[in-house]
Amino acid sequence: MNASEVLGDIWQQAGLPAEALVFARLTGADPVLPSSFAVGTAAQSTIAAAALAACELGHRRGTARQQAGVDMQHAALDCTGWFSLDGRVPDPWDAFSGLYRCADGWVRVHANFAHHRDGALRLMKLDPATAIRADAEAAMAGWRALDFEEAASALGLVATALRRFDEWDATPQGQAIAAQPLFTLERIGDAPPLALPPLREDQRPLSGLRVLDLTRILAGPVGGRALAAYGADVMLVNSPQLPNIEAIADTSRGKLSAHVDLRTDEGRAVLHGLVADAHVFVQGYRPGGIKALGFGPEALARERPGIVCVSLTAYGTQGPWADRRGFDSLVQTAMGFNHAEGEAAGDGRPRPLPMQILDEATGYLIAFGAAAALWRQQREGGSWHVQVSLAQTGQWLRGLGRVPNGLSIARPDIKPYVETSASGFGELAALRHSAQLPRTPAAWPRPSMPPGSDAPVWPAVTTG
């Protein structure tokens, strides 16, 4: 399938009008980054879907349709997540993150957060204060891969055994994921169409819409950043107790950034106040986590009839891994991508995809799903729930097929796509948004700021 056909399938699944697809302009073809998978098609189709859905919602609000153009190379580089702060390119990985050879295979450990790193080292019978990578490699050599995976999961840690595609397909979780669509978009309550602020032709298509972004790490924040690029007022809501990674400097472009402690009555009251005027509520905590605090989709639909809720998980909501923690790198390893890339490379060593494409594509599906559900809400009324997961995106990526000789291509120069801006983290150099909207260009007029920089209060005037 080419990218236009892939985009058409995504569009049709959301129930959006087919006539809008002629306004998508997709250029380029795989391979654009070194991979045997269609990572360029995955990037381009999901970014185009998000941009075109935002424009279609703008059309529903009374403006003319406009073209959404996405070049595949730009889209793929956009999904690498590259950025620098004051000229320094942060290392995205902790020294203990990565693949370890075990007695009967491989395990990938995610150690970017200190509590995950220290927990994994203690599971290896190592002292986190003194251990070095060589110690961890020696310790892991004595473990069976699936035994370590299960022991880590039981402790709430994040590690997965390397599997082949056929091994993943044979697991109950693999079968559960294979039975699910790329995303679900479900009406969960009755409500009249929400009255949206008027939209001028020169305003970005999501101007005047308010989005609560309760997500962390990459996929969710990428989705919120896309919605901000198309004009929404996006408020990133962080807990003052939880750590963040440096990528927050990149993914916070265009957003308000507030601290709210949902463990307190005061914090929950603040969030309820924000919900009262929100159009979209995006959350990426484990299933049941946010619901236990009173902000599950059904509760939000009762509290704010007409709201669109978007839920992100690692492994979906069905199967024995539904409650398991996960990150893109781990999902790639568990599902078979690392093994398949290694086979294609011919050196027998597991190899990651060239970017965190499961995170990135899922992030743009979040933005697409939010805009599509808002379009449905305006047309049909109701409250809506969109669900996406990294594993469902992985299953979809696998279904796009393989790219012959894809690993032989050189990585393109990123410099032509980089823009520089001031931020609360320092001078930020990062990728320009790859969707080109000629009448109302995507933009991030709000600078990226550290968590807690803004009060948890909606602005009186939209950014336009």
Side-chain angles (χ1 to χ4, degrees):
M1 295 177 68
N2 63 39
S4 293
E5 292 170 329
V6 175
L7 170 61
D9 283 351
I10 295 171
W11 196 257
Q12 181 181 37
Q13 186 176 329
L16 296 176
E19 59 268 24
L21 286 169
V22 299
F23 288 85
R25 182 175 180 270
L26 308 184
T27 56
D30 274 308
V32 289
L33 288 181
S35 177
S36 68
F37 290 90
V39 294
T41 297
Q44 183 184 41
S45 61
T46 53
I47 291 170
L52 196 64
C55 292
E56 191 62 16
L57 179 59
H59 179 58
R60 184 79 194 177
R61 297 171 69 188
T63 64
R65 286 189 170 114
Q66 64 175 313
Q67 186 181 87
V70 184
D71 175 71
M72 187 179 289
Q73 180 170 283
H74 189 176
L77 291 173
D78 197 352
C79 287
T80 63
W82 183 92
F83 72 100
S84 70
L85 291 171
D86 294 328
R88 177 183 64 87
V89 179
D91 186 344
W93 302 109
D94 181 85
F96 288 97
S97 288
L99 281 167
Y100 290 84
R101 188 181 287 277
C102 297
D104 62 344
W106 297 82
V107 163
R108 183 177 293 278
V109 174
H110 194 284
N112 283 14
F113 287 126
H115 63 292
H116 289 156
R117 179 188 63 231
D118 293 352
L121 291 172
R122 292 190 185 100
L123 181 58
M124 299 175 200
K125 309 298 183 187
L126 297 175
D127 182 353
T130 59
I132 61 173
R133 173 76 185 218
D135 298 329
E137 291 173 351
M140 288 299 292
W143 279 87
R144 292 176 62 85
L146 291 177
D147 289 346
F148 191 86
E149 176 185 85
E150 287 303 316
S153 177
L155 294 171
L157 305 174
V158 277
T160 53
L162 179 84
R163 290 173 175 81
R164 302 187 308 266
F165 281 141
D166 63 316
E167 290 173 328
W168 170 255
D169 291 344
T171 66
Q173 191 59 39
Q175 293 163 12
I177 292 298
Q180 296 177 63
L182 173 57
F183 62 89
T184 58
L185 197 160
E186 178 188 11
R187 180 175 173 144
I188 58 171
D190 293 328
L194 289 175
L196 302 184
L199 185 67
R200 302 190 311 269
E201 288 285 335
D202 63 343
Q203 286 182 300
R204 288 175 292 158
L206 301 187
S207 294
L209 302 185
R210 291 171 168 172
V211 177
L212 285 167
D213 180 358
L214 277 78
T215 66
R216 294 164 44 72
I217 315 306
L218 198 52
V222 164
R225 185 185 64 192
L227 293 170
Y230 308 140
D233 287 316
V234 178
M235 183 180 295
L236 178 63
V237 178
N238 258 286
S239 165
Q241 277 76 39
L242 292 177
N244 282 289
I245 60 174
E246 283 193 283
I248 196 172
D250 172 36
T251 59
S252 291
R253 284 183 283 171
K255 301 179 186 179
L256 301 159
S257 192
H259 271 152
V260 178
D261 189 350
L262 297 182
R263 302 180 308 172
T264 67
D265 291 341
E266 179 184 9
R268 290 190 293 274
V270 168
L271 188 58
H272 282 299
L274 292 168
V275 166
D277 293 311
H279 301 94
V280 178
F281 186 102
V282 185
Q283 69 89 18
Y285 293 91
R286 283 198 303 161
I290 205 76
K291 181 178 181 180
L293 297 172
F295 297 96
E298 292 77 13
L300 290 169
R302 291 191 296 270
E303 181 177 346
R304 169 67 160 155
I307 197 168
V308 169
C309 299
V310 185
S311 298
L312 162 69
T313 57
Y315 293 104
T317 59
Q318 300 175 33
W321 285 21
D323 290 331
R324 187 168 291 197
R325 291 176 172 89
F327 297 98
D328 181 305
S329 59
L330 300 177
V331 178
Q332 285 187 31
T333 301
M335 291 188 71
F337 288 99
N338 290 177
H339 177 269
E341 283 281 66
E343 272 196 327
D347 59 10
R349 184 177 178 87
R351 180 185 181 116
L353 297 172
M355 73 283 227
Q356 304 286 90
I357 187 59
L358 307 187
D359 267 330
E360 296 280 348
T362 303
Y364 287 106
L365 288 171
I366 286 171
F368 167 73
L374 285 167
W375 186 91
R376 297 279 296 270
Q377 205 283 330
Q378 287 296 289
R379 183 171 181 266
E380 306 168 31
S383 301
W384 294 81
H385 187 202
V386 179
Q387 296 185 78
V388 296
S389 77
L390 303 184
Q392 286 163 266
T393 299
Q395 187 75 18
W396 167 79
L397 172 62
R398 182 177 161 189
L400 298 181
R402 305 297 287 274
V403 179
N405 302 313
L407 285 166
S408 65
I409 191 171
R411 198 176 184 97
D413 184 9
I414 208 167
K415 291 180 183 177
Y417 305 102
V418 173
E419 64 182 8
T420 302
S421 61
S423 82
F425 302 89
E427 184 181 70
L428 173 64
L431 276 294
R432 297 193 312 275
H433 186 59
S434 54
Q436 305 299 307
L437 309 180
R439 189 177 72 242
T440 60
W444 293 296
R446 288 193 176 102
S448 175
M449 297 297 291
S453 294
D454 297 292
V457 177
W458 290 117
V461 180
T462 183
T463 55

